[in-house]
Amino acid sequence: MNIVGRRFLALLSGCGMIASACAYIESFSLADTEVMNRLLIASGAGLVLLLLPIFGLEPSLLTRKDFWNKFTRGMPSWVGPCIVFISLVVVAHFVWFFVQQGGGVPVIKDGQYLLDDHGRTLKVLTETEYLTLKEGYTRLRAVILIAGYFMPMFYWWFPRNGQESG
């Protein structure tokens, strides 16, 4: 793939990362989480479209053996530690989300806010608790997408060995 195509895909990855970061920041403002979740669904679809060509160009990345060395080949040495850091941030958000929700999902059933686990009510929630849990879910999805877009952004920005660089 030529450099213009690679830079365009890197730019699209950066835009997806920025959109996800905006959704993350907006989730703190008691905004309409449904609108943010729709944005995140679209952002997730965009991420898949940016990842498919990577695995098409380099099917060897699909094997688990030595994935990180293969992926970061030709990139600056700081990219690998940044990916690890962002992955740790995702794990921290997931743990915090699970601690808050206790394995349930906030739902509205018969006009009542509930923490639901596959049809079983774990807890009756106040509106504030419900909104807080919905915001946490939005933040978790946003941080996963931020991390997801980080990898293709750098993959497309830095030419790979044996691929056109000019």
Side-chain angles (χ1 to χ4, degrees):
M1 178 175 286
N2 68 23
I3 194 73
V4 174
R6 294 182 66 82
R7 295 292 158 93
F8 177 71
L9 292 173
L11 176 67
L12 288 178
S13 298
C15 290
M17 198 163 129
I18 290 169
S20 300
C22 288
Y24 181 88
I25 292 166
E26 190 68 22
S27 72
F28 288 100
S29 69
L30 295 173
D32 183 1
T33 57
E34 291 307 314
V35 171
M36 288 295 108
N37 284 325
R38 284 189 213 113
L39 170 69
L40 292 173
I41 288 169
S43 189
L47 176 59
V48 169
L49 293 175
L50 287 166
L51 288 172
L52 287 175
I54 292 172
F55 295 116
L57 288 171
E58 293 195 51
S60 66
L61 288 176
L62 290 172
T63 61
R64 288 183 167 191
K65 185 179 179 185
D66 214 22
F67 173 84
W68 291 112
N69 288 336
K70 289 178 186 176
F71 182 82
T72 57
R73 178 180 29 126
M75 295 183 191
S77 61
W78 53 266
V79 172
C82 284
I83 291 172
V84 170
F85 174 75
I86 288 175
S87 299
L88 291 173
V89 170
V90 169
V91 169
H93 273 80
F94 183 77
V95 168
W96 180 244
F97 173 77
F98 187 78
V99 166
Q100 280 186 311
Q101 309 233 137
V105 177
V107 296
I108 301 174
K109 190 174 188 179
D110 299 327
Q112 201 172 28
Y113 299 107
L114 304 172
L115 191 58
D116 183 75
D117 182 22
H118 302 288
R120 193 183 77 190
T121 300
L122 299 176
K123 181 181 176 185
V124 177
L125 303 170
T126 65
E127 182 179 13
T128 304
E129 289 173 323
Y130 172 80
L131 292 173
T132 300
L133 293 176
K134 290 295 274 186
E135 291 166 357
Y137 180 62
T138 301
R139 275 191 287 280
L140 176 63
R141 291 176 66 193
V143 79
I144 288 169
L145 287 171
I146 291 168
Y149 275 109
F150 185 83
M151 292 173 64
M153 183 175 65
F154 283 98
Y155 176 88
W156 292 119
W157 189 260
F158 296 106
R160 313 291 286 172
N161 294 344
Q163 292 182 359
E164 189 176 325
S165 61

